[in-house]
Amino acid sequence: QVQLVESGGGLVQAGGSLMLSCAASGIIFSSSSMAWYRQAPGKQRDLVAGITRDGSTNYADFVQGRFTISRDNFKNTMYLQMNSLKPEDTAVYYCNVHERPTMKIFWGQGTQVTVSS
């Protein structure tokens, strides 16, 4: 069974920080690319940050310099450290895995992040 479980969301004041976690099971974690996406009400799901199996990262312009994506292959867990949060960061944040070598894509159920002004 494939399972991706996000945690760490919550309510925070503007300028505050949160760290999200995505715990994976039932996948070939170490060879997979992973990413965080987010979706606000009435909007499309957007890429926030991605990380490859060798640790290369990429970030959306709207989080560059504020968010950091990382992974721990021994714990089968991906993280997103979010600093200097803004109200416009309010969204449901989703864990995404692109499994290799199967080329399958999996999604978590999401965790709510709410940033108040």
Side-chain angles (χ1 to χ4, degrees):
Q1 289 184 304
V2 175
Q3 190 170 36
L4 303 175
V5 180
E6 300 99 332
S7 61
L11 175 64
V12 65
Q13 294 280 356
S17 298
L18 288 172
M19 188 177 75
L20 306 184
S21 298
C22 173
S25 61
I27 67 169
I28 309 171
F29 188 90
S30 62
S31 61
S32 300
S33 295
M34 307 186 72
W36 288 98
Y37 285 74
R38 73 186 189 188
Q39 187 169 21
K43 298 183 179 180
Q44 293 186 324
R45 190 170 296 186
D46 295 323
L47 176 68
V48 176
I51 185 166
T52 68
R53 65 179 183 177
D54 62 353
S56 297
T57 59
N58 65 285
Y59 297 92
D61 289 342
F62 51 80
V63 303
Q64 184 71 44
R66 300 189 295 123
F67 292 7
T68 302
I69 188 172
S70 62
R71 65 191 292 168
D72 186 336
N73 289 343
F74 291 99
K75 297 181 179 179
N76 286 356
T77 303
M78 178 180 65
Y79 306 94
L80 184 68
Q81 178 65 51
M82 304 185 295
N83 299 324
S84 302
L85 284 162
K86 305 174 181 179
E88 51 263 46
D89 294 320
T90 295
V92 177
Y93 284 71
Y94 296 92
C95 177
N96 170 270
V97 174
H98 185 184
E99 187 185 54
R100 305 292 180 89
T102 67
M103 305 301 288
K104 295 180 178 179
I105 297 175
F106 302 99
W107 292 93
Q109 295 302 304
T111 184
Q112 177 71 46
V113 172
T114 302
V115 184
S116 64
S117 59

